[in-house]
Amino acid sequence: MHSQRSGLEVAIIGVAARFPKSSNTDEFWRNLRDGVECITFLTDEESLRSGVDERLLREPDFVKAASLIDGIENFDADFFGYSPMEAALIDPQHRLFLECAVEALETAGYNPETHTGAIGVYGGTAINTYLLFNVMRNQEIVDSLDQIQLNIASDKDYLTTRVSYKLNLKGPSHLVQSACSTSLVAVHVACQSLLNEECDLALAGGVTININRRSGYRYLDGGMASPDGHCRAFDAKARGTIFGSGAGIVALKRLEEAIEDGDTIHAVIKGSAINNDGSMKVGYTAPSVDGQAEVITEALANAGVTAETIDYIETHGTGTPLGDPIEVQALTKAYRAYTEKKGFCAIGSVKTNVGHLDAAAGVAGLIKTVLSLKHRQLPPTLHFQEPNPNIDFAGSPFYVNDSLKPWLATDRPRRAGVSSFGVGGTNAHLILEQAPELEPGSASRPWQALCLSAHTATALQAASARLASRLREDPDLCLADVAYTLAVGRRAFAHRRVVICRSAAEACAL
């Protein structure tokens, strides 16, 4: 199996994720693989304790469901050099994005203090509900603050530059905003920046935390939100989505350099495209068949691949009666330029698992697809029982993947598309390919030094426990590679530990 390379491919070498009921990518994959719906359904007592008015709770259109991430109130201010007061003012979306940036660099194996290349940051966020519904309600606090101080803690503009400042990253750093397609557009922009050699490594993604939807929401007939808290993408009973919270960042690098440097490559971005619908549609918030079809066609052309070689599409898939049929119609229009084959390409939507994560929606779908390529399995799209009657699946190249299936090998690499479409018409589509098979490194010495360090003694203990757990779970890890990454791919902190060992089992025991 061989993939023709154009020299314009980008490698995904690091991933960080915080999604509902998933504090990391391993948990996220288990939930996807096992078909877990990660929505929290609240009792009346839980809703009342979280501040819901009892009169609202009795309303028949109030939906006691939420797409939540845990621990948004937790932030290690001292680790990032913030005072408790500063940390309390900063939008939790910014705090979470900063944490994920650190994790993405660590999973990529790069220490920003010693990396000689320029590292760029590209991302976006949702509206700051923390400012609206928390900070601004405390007039005493507001009156005590300088307006500029409040702006820097709260405004979207400072999301990416905060990361660059705190981690000493000197590549381009700017905000990308296009509503629901924000994070996938950020990945596209980061790829272009890498290919233009504006940076050598890039962090790209998005974050959404909506503190006003943590205890449920009111259903409005004809709106985008689901009447029962379930997202039924492409199903006949689909009536909307559920909006939620989450964050995701991928670390990107030019493929040829990633191969040369021996990076862990999770997947390859073969090509990408973005565009806008313009005004030729029924309204500002409505999707467009032509706009979506054109961005998909352009992404395929940029990737240098044909539609027949795509096995899976991670769709926008919001589960709305209008959006789902238009999306399949647009996909079909794009693919019919290449082939008349029917039913060969699976489609799915991560929104059936975690809901619609707004500015983080696109990167959630991207990370799901990267994990699917890595594990060579297609996880189920939930709640799909009967196709939406307005979707002609029988005459299209597509079918909904509603159960866990092996992603079978062929005489070409596994490939997938990822779509994200924003309110206002900015569309994004990426073409992914499985990571190339790399030659193993040379033999190493029998003894290895595993170096760990952390900001505090308790953090060092936690890091040691996590490393031991990882070595137990994945005994095939090359111990020499583990030692190398720990030595050169991590920042050094005051609390340190070194283990000298000859095997993973010995390392765990020590």
Side-chain angles (χ1 to χ4, degrees), residues 452 462-474 504 507-510:
L452 284 168
S464 302
R466 285 197 302 271
L467 178 58
S469 175
R470 179 62 188 277
L471 291 172
R472 278 191 294 268
E473 291 171 1
D474 195 350
C508 292
L510 291 171

Side-chain angles (χ1 to χ4, degrees), residues 97-149:
F97 194 78
L98 181 56
E99 290 173 340
C100 285
V102 172
E103 185 179 338
L105 282 173
E106 288 196 342
T107 62
Y110 281 95
N111 177 358
E113 293 178 348
T114 58
H115 181 58
T116 56
I119 301 176
V121 187
Y122 309 84
T125 182
I127 189 171
N128 185 352
T129 55
Y130 179 74
L131 173 68
L132 296 175
F133 300 109
N134 189 331
V135 176
M136 296 304 292
R137 289 182 175 179
N138 191 326
Q139 194 59 47
E140 183 179 347
I141 292 292
V142 173
D143 290 342
S144 70
L145 296 172
D146 179 88
Q147 188 62 47
I148 294 177
Q149 180 186 11

Side-chain angles (χ1 to χ4, degrees), residues 109-453:
Y110 281 95
N111 177 358
E113 293 178 348
T114 58
H115 181 58
T116 56
I119 301 176
V121 187
Y122 309 84
T125 182
I127 189 171
N128 185 352
T129 55
Y130 179 74
L131 173 68
L132 296 175
F133 300 109
N134 189 331
V135 176
M136 296 304 292
R137 289 182 175 179
N138 191 326
Q139 194 59 47
E140 183 179 347
I141 292 292
V142 173
D143 290 342
S144 70
L145 296 172
D146 179 88
Q147 188 62 47
I148 294 177
Q149 180 186 11
L150 185 60
N151 287 347
I152 291 173
S154 306
D155 198 280
K156 287 182 177 184
D157 284 7
Y158 307 105
L159 176 77
T160 57
T161 52
R162 189 187 307 280
V163 171
S164 297
Y165 173 69
K166 285 297 178 180
L167 303 186
N168 193 28
L169 311 182
K170 298 177 181 178
S173 180
H174 62 84
L175 196 69
V176 177
Q177 292 294 156
S178 59
C180 322
S181 60
T182 288
S183 53
L184 207 64
V185 171
V187 173
H188 167 82
V189 173
C191 289
Q192 296 304 304
S193 185
L194 283 165
L195 296 176
N196 290 333
E197 298 190 356
E198 295 171 340
C199 60
D200 304 292
L201 197 156
L203 302 178
V207 59
T208 295
I209 297 175
N210 191 332
I211 66 169
N212 202 37
R213 279 184 175 263
R214 295 185 63 80
S215 51
Y217 60 93
R218 187 192 291 275
Y219 167 70
L220 298 174
D221 189 29
M224 288 183 64
S226 164
D228 59 6
H230 301 293
C231 177
R232 298 178 171 85
F234 309 110
D235 190 78
K237 295 181 180 178
R239 293 178 64 193
T241 191
I242 175 170
F243 291 92
S245 299
I249 293 179
V250 292
L252 307 171
K253 193 173 177 182
R254 292 180 287 271
L255 176 61
E256 296 302 328
E257 293 175 15
I259 293 172
E260 182 179 346
D261 294 339
D263 295 320
T264 296
I265 301 173
H266 301 284
V268 174
I269 299 174
K270 288 285 288 181
S272 62
I274 59 173
N275 71 358
N276 192 276
D277 296 333
S279 62
M280 299 304 289
K281 54 183 183 177
V282 297
Y284 177 72
T285 63
S288 162
V289 171
D290 290 341
Q292 292 181 17
E294 287 165 7
V295 81
I296 294 162
T297 301
E298 186 178 351
L300 287 165
N302 290 341
V305 301
T306 63
E308 282 188 344
T309 69
I310 306 297
D311 306 308
Y312 174 75
I313 300 286
E314 175 62 26
T315 65
H316 191 59
T318 55
T320 57
L322 176 66
D324 287 357
I326 284 178
E327 182 165 10
V328 177
Q329 188 180 348
L331 277 165
T332 301
K333 181 178 180 180
Y335 274 46
R336 282 293 174 249
Y338 292 90
T339 178
E340 292 299 319
K341 287 176 64 176
K342 299 176 182 178
F344 68 88
C345 184
I347 65 172
S349 173
V350 73
K351 293 178 180 64
T352 63
N353 299 93
V354 299
H356 191 329
L357 305 186
D358 197 347
V363 77
L366 174 62
I367 293 172
K368 171 191 170 181
T369 311
V370 169
L371 295 173
S372 298
L373 284 164
K374 183 177 178 180
H375 293 279
R376 301 180 179 182
Q377 291 179 300
L378 293 174
T381 288
L382 308 184
H383 313 305
F384 184 77
Q385 296 177 331
E386 183 181 349
N388 184 319
N390 295 317
I391 300 177
D392 179 21
F393 279 117
S396 81
F398 308 103
Y399 67 93
V400 177
N401 191 72
D402 58 357
S403 63
L404 180 66
K405 292 183 176 70
W407 195 333
L408 299 175
T410 65
D411 59 353
R412 55 167 175 74
R414 296 170 179 85
R415 291 194 185 118
V418 182
S419 290
S420 191
F421 308 130
V423 168
T426 295
N427 307 307
H429 192 77
L430 267 65
I431 304 297
L432 295 184
E433 185 174 278
Q434 70 182 76
E437 298 289 340
L438 302 181
E439 293 294 325
S442 59
S444 183
R445 60 194 175 209
W447 291 88
Q448 302 297 336
L450 305 187
C451 306
L452 284 168
S453 73

Side-chain angles (χ1 to χ4, degrees), residues 15-31 38 68-72 74 96 99-100 103-104 107 245-248 354 367 466:
V15 184
R18 289 277 299 279
F19 297 129
K21 299 186 180 179
S22 307
S23 60
N24 53 55
T25 55
D26 290 337
E27 290 180 4
F28 185 47
W29 173 250
R30 284 195 292 270
N31 287 332
C38 299
L68 309 172
I69 54 172
D70 296 327
I72 63 169
N74 300 329
L96 185 58
E99 290 173 340
C100 285
E103 185 179 338
T107 62
S245 299
V354 299
I367 293 172
R466 285 197 302 271

